[in-house]
Amino acid sequence: QVQLVESGGGLVQPGDSLRLSCQASGFTFSKYGMVWVREAPGKGQEWVASINTGGDNARYPESVRGRFTISRDNAKNTLYLQMNTLKPEDTAVYHCAKLLGSTSYGGYNVRGQGTQVTVSS
């Protein structure tokens, strides 16, 4: 079955960096766009970044653009999220998800359990 397993979260200070990974299995990873979303306590799900199958089209909301970079390694079935200049408002559980199509647009149908990122001094 489709599985997405995130890793790389942790407790960091403002201004630090983290790289999240998402290991995918159970489907042909290279044929689907992928997305990172996050959920903070008391807030709804927020889109963080998405990427197409080839990795040459990535999109970000204004809140993370210029600080976060999504990438993928299709040979390793792995999705990444490089997060730089982290802020306390980036604190959340980060999930990767499989998009329905091959582009960086659209909804998703499978999401991983998530990894906690806490940014605090």
Side-chain angles (χ1 to χ4, degrees), residues 3-4 20-21 36 38 43 49 51 70:
Q3 279 196 315
L4 298 168
L20 305 183
S21 298
W36 286 98
R38 66 187 181 186
K43 299 183 180 179
I51 192 168
I70 188 173

Side-chain angles (χ1 to χ4, degrees), residues 59 95 118:
R59 299 188 305 117
H95 303 266
T118 302

Side-chain angles (χ1 to χ4, degrees), residues 14-29:
D16 284 352
S17 298
L18 273 178
R19 188 173 86 150
L20 305 183
S21 298
C22 169
Q23 182 67 51
S25 61
F27 67 102
T28 305
F29 180 74

Side-chain angles (χ1 to χ4, degrees), residues 78-107:
T78 304
L79 179 74
Y80 302 100
L81 184 68
Q82 177 67 44
M83 305 186 294
N84 298 329
T85 319
L86 283 161
K87 304 175 181 180
E89 51 263 43
D90 294 319
T91 296
V93 177
Y94 285 71
H95 303 266
C96 65
K98 169 183 164 290
L99 292 173
L100 295 173
S102 62
T103 72
S104 62
Y105 294 85

